[in-house]
Amino acid sequence: MPPTLHLGSAWSSSWSIVGWMACRLGGLPVTENRIFLSRPDSPPKLKAVSPSGRVPALHVDGMVLWDSLAIAEWLWERDPSCAIWPKDPARRAYARCVAAEVHSHFDDVRNGLPMNLIKRWPIRDGLPSNVKLMARPGVRAGTERMEAMWRDARARHGGPYIAGEEFCFADAAFAPMCSRYVTYGIELAPDSMDFIATQMESPLMREWRARAEREADEVGRDIVMASP
Ligand SMILES: N[C@@H](CCC(=O)N[C@@H](CS)C(=O)NCC(=O)O)C(=O)O
């Protein structure tokens, strides 16, 4: 069986971006299976492919890998010359710390600013303003911590990415986070805006965003705009 990567909707499934980027950085060709989230039949479909009922889930070599960071680490073990982590050990350790922190924290930002690659604030009357969204508990503090991480990484490694010139898995972890500030039109410090733009324009993110646009046409933009 060729490897199969089960993914959620491109416009809204932030962790799917991370798992998909991992497979591309790891050089693993996969057959993709998309499962729309938040539909009545989504839970059984998710549970059928992933023990946690969450995606991404990679089916490979008779195993199921149901977490984006675990997928990345498996890919790197399979081929340590791949682009998942930097070649330099110090940069690799740093990138792993960054990816692990993004993986384990920032739930307030995730929940306070739900990802939607298509929507742009303001789109219709009645939506809370981006100022109100930033005032949701933990969103400002989480954002400030991420800005500090971007600043430190670029000061150490010269940018444009977290570990220097090469996009690695730590950038994949940040890409969906960065997209939220674009969706809601939130202005951060100029160097943060520069990092966000770099992430949005990375080759992998451009490819994924094009996919989200196609999906929005397929599903109906009114439905996508109403989500979440
Ligand atoms: N830690 C997991 C998180 C996966 C996750 O939460 N995925 C979301 C989609 S972005 C999901 O499948 N949610 C189930 C649902 O919406 O029903 C990972 O890194 O893969």
Side-chain angles (χ1 to χ4, degrees):
M1 279 276 283
T4 303
L5 181 63
H6 299 273
L7 297 165
S9 315
W11 77 86
S12 66
S13 178
S14 54
W15 294 105
S16 293
I17 301 179
V18 185
W20 175 82
M21 286 186 176
C23 290
R24 294 295 291 269
L25 292 171
L28 182 75
V30 293
T31 300
E32 294 178 17
N33 176 45
R34 183 187 56 193
I35 301 172
F36 285 114
L37 306 178
S38 308
R39 290 186 174 178
D41 63 350
S42 305
K45 284 186 174 171
L46 290 165
K47 206 67 191 157
V49 300
S50 167
S52 64
R54 291 172 186 275
V55 284
L58 177 65
H59 291 217
V60 62
D61 292 354
M63 300 181 292
V64 182
L65 309 181
W66 68 90
D67 179 275
S68 56
L69 182 56
I71 291 170
E73 289 294 8
W74 180 83
L75 287 161
W76 189 78
E77 279 189 25
R78 169 182 168 268
D79 176 12
S81 71
C82 77
I84 294 271
W85 299 122
K87 309 248 174 310
D88 173 69
R91 289 187 192 217
R92 187 160 65 243
Y94 186 95
R96 278 185 155 129
C97 284
V98 168
E101 182 172 346
V102 180
H103 201 72
S104 1
H105 300 290
F106 303 110
D107 279 356
D108 290 334
V109 178
R110 279 181 235 287
N111 300 329
L113 307 174
M115 194 191 90
N116 187 323
L117 292 182
I118 304 298
K119 193 151 94 175
R120 292 292 177 270
W121 181 91
I123 55 157
R124 62 165 71 142
D125 293 337
L127 264 187
S129 75
N130 50 13
V131 176
K132 284 184 192 154
L133 291 174
M134 284 302 282
R136 286 179 171 174
V139 174
R140 174 69 64 189
T143 299
E144 284 172 0
R145 173 61 192 145
M146 280 192 280
E147 289 188 273
M149 292 167 85
W150 304 338
R151 207 161 283 141
D152 183 71
R154 289 178 131 193
R156 278 172 196 269
H157 304 132
Y161 296 115
I162 289 294
E165 289 184 3
E166 307 292 333
F167 184 102
C168 74
F169 184 72
D171 297 289
F174 270 138
M177 295 305 243
C178 287
S179 79
R180 292 163 152 94
Y181 300 97
V182 177
T183 297
Y184 297 104
I186 293 163
E187 272 294 319
L188 301 177
D191 59 337
S192 301
M193 298 313 285
D194 185 63
F195 182 76
I196 289 168
T198 299
Q199 290 296 333
M200 295 303 282
E201 294 302 324
S202 77
L204 287 179
M205 194 56 167
R206 285 171 71 100
E207 192 178 331
W208 185 273
R209 285 167 52 212
R211 170 191 299 227
E213 295 288 342
R214 286 194 300 276
E215 272 189 22
D217 289 334
E218 185 190 323
V219 173
R221 285 185 179 253
D222 48 335
I223 292 171
V224 170
M225 292 298 201
S227 154

